Amino acid sequence: MKVLIVEDERSMALEMEAFLKKSYYNCDLSFTARQAKQMMEEHSYNFILLDLGLPDQDGLEVLKAAKKNCPDASYIILTARGDLEDRIKGLDLGADDYLPKPFSLLELQSRMMAISRRKSGLNDSVVPLGDFMIDSVKRMILFEGREIELSRREFDLLSYMLMHKNRPLTRVQLSDHVWGNFSDGDYDSNYIDVHIKNIRKKLIPYGSVDWLQTIRGIGYKIKIG
Amino acid sequence: MKLLSKLTLYITISKILVVLLFIWLLPRLVNDVASQHTNYYLTEQKKKVLANIEKNGIDYYFDGDSSYGSYTMLKEEYISLEPAGPLSPADTIQTSLRIVEDDTLTYRLLEHVFEYGHKRYLLEIGKTITAINQYNRPLQRVALYVLIGLIAFTLIIDLVFTRLLLRPLGLIIRTKLINRKFPFEEDIPPVSTTTTDFKYLDDSLIGLMNNVKEAFDKEREFTSNASHELMTPISILQNKIENLMLDHEMDESAQEKIMGMMNTLNRLKKIVRSLLMISRIENDQYSRADKVSPQVLIEEVIKELEDRIEARGIKLTLSVSRHIVLQNVNRDLLFQLFYNLINNAIRYNKEGGAIGISDHLNQDKSYIINITDTGIGMKENDLESIFDRFKKTSRMEGEGYGLGLSIVKSIVQYHSIRIAVKSEYGKGSEFSITFLPGVANAF
């Protein structure tokens, strides 16, 4: 997967690159609109992560031009502007998603994965998790073909952790994902514990949930081979 | 009382007083003038008689008799000339009775004693009081009518002019003071008037409001810019910390510290995001064009929060009419409003407590939604400041600053909504949200 990161804040771009590299994305960086356009002419990308606040040109203009050069790429707009209008304009211009800054890198990656899945149209959305199977399209968890009922939040949590399996996820990261803008810090992250407890309680009658690990003082992790 | 009413009242009362005074004074005045005039008239008559005697001799009157008397047809005036006795009084003008041809009449009487040819004579000239006063009444009446007419005329002129004069003041009050919403967004043109006092008042008000608006705009701009500028470094920090977390070589204690940093950063992020949201609301960046069913909206909020309600064993009762629609509102903001209030009702509730949400459409078409909880409540002196930014109240012990209710406040101000809180410490709170008439419609 080739990714072009268009972001004028260098250290931000570097962090994104470092993170995505670990998930085997191949990243190019550009810090200006001009540079970005040049890169897009020379290479083709699967993903273009586009900051709107570029020094030399408005990101939305870049998006317009980019849609011509790289029509097949998926675009995610990253911005601290957070104007509602920007969001609508961006999506109108053909962006696939919109992520307001500050965002979690995990969130960025899961959005990218969701877009890939959507675009590839693959139906192998069913992923094994221990003795269970998770169907992220139908939003179900199955044990030997039978559905186990989880609440919406519980499913959100589980699939998010599965998406970022083998990584420790903090309560804050989890509650950020589950409640998004409504997340209310420490207080909300307590509810993550409640949800995890419920998930365990609901799954244990069917099979082992040893893969759902608690990392003391930090959060949780799904550990599978 | 309004200035115009006061002036109108003053002008009317003062004019009525003038009329009353005049009515009281007029008969006295007229009588006085009539009597003065009669005295003068009698004196003139006397002079004429004396002049005649001087010229023609006293026999001109006596004509052989020893006395002379004459009166007009109705005995209104009479004159008599006779030799004066030793007791005759000196010159007087007085009112007294005289019998003239069997009629006893009241006369204004001039008596004059004079010498002529070594003899003393008494001259009496009289005029009846009835004759003197015969014009008094009509005169008084006419005078009164004229006065009342004039007073009424000036009264109308005064009132019209006062109204005209005070119109700029009314205009200033109406356009500049009444119904003006802080922070005075709309530009209202100065009131045109030639009265310098009003001009000064108007100019001062405009200046004052501009200053307020400017200060407010600056603060707003600062909040917006500052929050926005803070977002980028927060973003970078967050991503750096996230990358650090993934470093497998880190030991547990280092990871825990990083986790602490992440929590703190998250708090910062939350504050900045809330401030940004408030400044966006204050900067009118949200439309007010949505139609929202409060029942559907609140149910959505509850669905969003049902995990928590369940986790805390709270019993929630929702009785909101399906047949109400809210117009000219922003759906996202109202969602946030109810989210924050209901979230608080859960958060500050007791384990196994209750939350009630009910509504009521008033006679005047205002619409109330009440959210009550059986939570920990608030102390009275906390109630005033719960909507203020960065005000710590006792219920948030050690939890940092809550901006949730500040957001609620700005959403409320953005719409035509009033919010009121009642609370009893240890027992629970009630938040009442009132949509002003025109927002909610029943169907």
Side-chain angles (χ1 to χ4, degrees), chain A residues 15 19 80-81 83 102-105 153 170 172-173 176 179 181 183-184 187-188 195 218, chain B residues 228 231-232 235 239-240 242-243 245 255 259 262-263 266 269-270 273 280 285 304 307-308 347:
Chain A
E15 290 305 322
F19 182 86
R81 290 218 290 248
D83 285 339
F103 53 82
S104 155
L105 291 171
R153 294 250 189 276
T170 65
V172 167
Q173 283 173 316
D176 236 16
W179 286 290
N181 270 350
S183 150
D184 197 11
Y187 164 71
D188 278 0
H195 288 312
I218 291 174
Chain B
H228 185 240
M231 277 305 191
T232 305
S235 226
N239 293 353
K240 276 188 191 292
E242 276 184 311
N243 275 333
M245 284 287 292
Q255 263 193 342
M259 154 93 183
M262 199 183 239
N263 283 347
N266 201 56
K269 189 168 88 177
K270 182 76 197 163
R273 204 182 263 163
R280 274 190 201 127
Q285 284 187 18
E304 200 66 23
D307 296 322
R308 298 168 188 208
R347 180 172 187 171

Side-chain angles (χ1 to χ4, degrees), chain B residues 132-143:
Chain B
I132 293 170
N133 289 343
Q134 67 177 328
Y135 297 115
N136 282 11
R137 280 200 165 276
L139 255 177
Q140 279 180 38
R141 201 174 309 134
V142 169

Side-chain angles (χ1 to χ4, degrees), chain B residues 322-335:
Chain B
R322 279 164 203 287
H323 302 289
I324 294 282
V325 67
L326 303 173
Q327 279 175 325
N328 302 326
V329 292
N330 184 286
R331 192 180 195 289
D332 294 341
L333 291 183
L334 285 191
F335 188 92

